[in-house]
Every structure is written in structure tokens, then in C-alpha cells.
Amino acid sequence: MALAAEGVSFGYRRGRPVLRDLSVRFEPGAVTAVVGPNGAGKTTLLRLLLGLRRPDTGRVMLDARAVGSLTARERATRMAYVPQRSRLGFAFTVREVVRHGRFATPGDGVGTAVETAMREVGVESLADEPFEMLSAGQQQRVLIARAIAQLAAPCPDGETRVLAADEPLSALDPKHAMETAGLIRSLVARGPALAAVVVLHDLTAALRFADRAALLDGSGRLAALGPVESTLRPEVLESVFAVPFARVQGDGCTGILPAAPPPDAVRV
């Protein structure tokens, strides 16, 4: 039981593939980081996994069903999406935006789920503020709260749920980035059967809080897949990003960064 892309290829224009013959499995109970260069198809992969786009070839499966065969309500019950940014056409408040996560699954307990989600992300004091007036980082936290409220909807036992997040840490300050990473991990740990798929550019963040990594190369192919410790190795990353990397250790933390170029390679 899992979310899986099987032999998936996709392009927005004929003859211009973004993803090529991609097969990757996202297990419940794990955070999988999707990493790769700009234009590698990371956001496109999320859209395919969520059924927002259909692959040109191959298929996307959620448990034993093709994602494309799920109704919109079924997808809303089992799959939550945190985009990089969200623009609204109306002056919704923070509470209303979070409540939108339960639009397809109304019923008893929605109000409690909304208030709990805002409290978990730390935006309860902003509940009556207009969403569009918030900073980018505050908006990002509200979108995460919306996903949490959505995933609180009743779901049959044993069915895999999915949290798909596109750069959820990018607009956050260090404190909130750490708290959000920890919150995503706690959501996966508490279940039930939740698979988290998180697009990240910050390789150190991926190394520190993801369980597995799917590394895409610049042509939209899968370059590596597996535990973060073996996938995000300097030699593997160098083959994809075409720059050297070094793993750094200090004060009990491990990171991975582009290696400094030799002095004679620096140009002003």
C-alpha cells in the first residue's frame, strides 16, 4: 500500500518531455524528499502524483487504484497539497483559508480540526487577519495548516494518505523552518498511513529531516532513490548538479553544501 509512479513520462508540449520513464514509490510512514536542479520536473511530479495532470505514458497509483480514477472528493479526502504560494481571488481570512481544506469533507468536527491545525502551526493569533496581507512566510504556514485540517478528515483504515508539499520551508525563518520540518515528521509518525512527499532545494534540510530522497537529474530522469544518507552523497550530487559537494559535520549536525572552489577559480 503506497503512492507510486510507474514508468511515468510527461511533457507540457509534444516532443518536449519534462519527466522521462520515472518509477518511484512513496511509502507511508516516511518523508521522501524530491530534489534536483531547476527544471528537473519536481513540481510537475507532485502535480502528477496528485492527479492534477495525467502522464503521457505510465501511471500513478495510490494503493491499488489509479489516481486518475479517483473522484475529486476521494482525492480531497486522501491527498493534501501545500504549494509554494497561493493567490486568492477574494479577501478570505486565515481561518477561512484553513477551513477550505475541508470544503470537500464537511461535517462534525471541522471547526475543531481548523482550530487545532492553526494552533499546531502557530497561526491562531492571525485567524481573523486577511490572508493576502500576511508575509510570505506566514502565508506558507497557513497553507500547511490547511493541509493539516484536510488530513484530519475521516478516512477508512488502511488507506494511504498523502501530504505533498512544494518547498514548504523556503519562505520560513530558521525557527519556523525547524518547527515545520518537525511538524511534518510528527504528522507522518502519528499516521494513519501517511506518506509525505516534499520538494526541497535545501539539501541539508533534506538530509536532516527526510527518511528517503528521490534525486532527479536535469533531463527529468531518476538519478538516485533510497535513504537520504546513501542518496545525497557528494559524488552522487556532483553527477547531477555538475558542481562539487562536501558533507560537513559540526555541533552534532550534519549538512551537505557545494564545496568551495579553489582560489584560482574565483573570478570577480
Side-chain angles (χ1 to χ4, degrees):
M1 306 292 276
L3 174 68
E6 301 176 353
V8 164
S9 295
F10 176 81
Y12 293 98
R13 289 187 289 174
R14 186 181 299 275
R16 299 284 298 274
V18 176
L19 295 171
R20 305 168 190 257
D21 193 26
L22 192 72
S23 293
V24 57
R25 185 179 175 91
F26 302 95
E27 299 286 352
V31 178
T32 302
V34 179
V35 299
N38 293 336
K42 301 182 294 297
T43 297
T44 297
L45 175 59
L46 288 191
R47 292 172 179 161
L48 291 167
L49 294 175
L50 294 166
L52 302 177
R53 293 278 185 171
R54 292 181 180 267
D56 297 331
T57 61
R59 62 182 186 171
V60 177
M61 303 293 292
L62 181 60
D63 297 336
R65 295 181 62 184
V67 167
S69 72
L70 300 176
T71 67
R73 186 177 295 275
E74 287 174 321
R75 285 190 287 123
T77 300
R78 300 180 60 186
M79 311 178 88
Y81 179 39
V82 180
Q84 289 190 55
R85 293 295 300 272
S86 181
R87 294 191 177 278
L88 305 179
F90 300 93
F92 291 113
T93 66
V94 165
R95 181 179 283 107
E96 290 169 334
V97 171
V98 176
R99 196 178 183 91
H100 289 168
R102 297 297 297 272
F103 176 79
T105 55
D108 295 339
V110 170
T112 299
V114 168
E115 298 301 322
T116 299
M118 290 192 297
R119 185 168 59 253
E120 284 198 275
V121 180
V123 296
E124 68 274 23
S125 64
L126 303 173
D128 298 316
E129 297 294 324
F131 177 83
E132 291 290 345
M133 299 301 294
L134 303 183
S135 70
Q138 290 171 325
Q139 289 183 351
Q140 190 75 344
R141 289 156 59 200
V142 173
L143 298 179
I144 293 167
R146 182 178 66 184
I148 293 172
Q150 183 177 345
L151 292 170
C155 183
D157 291 343
E159 289 190 348
T160 301
R161 286 187 165 190
V162 177
L163 172 61
D166 196 353
E167 287 288 346
L169 312 182
S170 62
L172 303 181
D173 59 50
K175 174 180 181 290
H176 288 112
M178 291 180 62
E179 289 177 350
T180 299
L183 178 58
I184 291 173
R185 287 212 60 86
S186 72
L187 291 172
V188 169
R190 76 176 77 152
L194 178 65
V197 186
V198 185
V199 170
L200 292 170
H201 278 109
D202 187 333
L203 299 175
T204 293
L207 189 65
R208 293 181 65 180
F209 98 91
D211 302 295
R212 296 169 57 80
L215 176 62
L216 306 184
D217 66 19
S219 67
R221 292 185 172 89
L222 186 65
L225 175 68
V228 288
E229 295 82 2
S230 59
T231 304
L232 302 183
R233 301 197 315 271
E235 61 272 22
V236 177
L237 294 170
E238 182 174 352
S239 69
V240 169
F241 289 93
V243 295
F245 284 84
R247 186 168 291 199
V248 296
Q249 186 85 35
D251 295 329
C253 297
T254 300
I256 190 157
L257 300 168
D264 59 359
V266 177
R267 298 287 183 270
V268 177

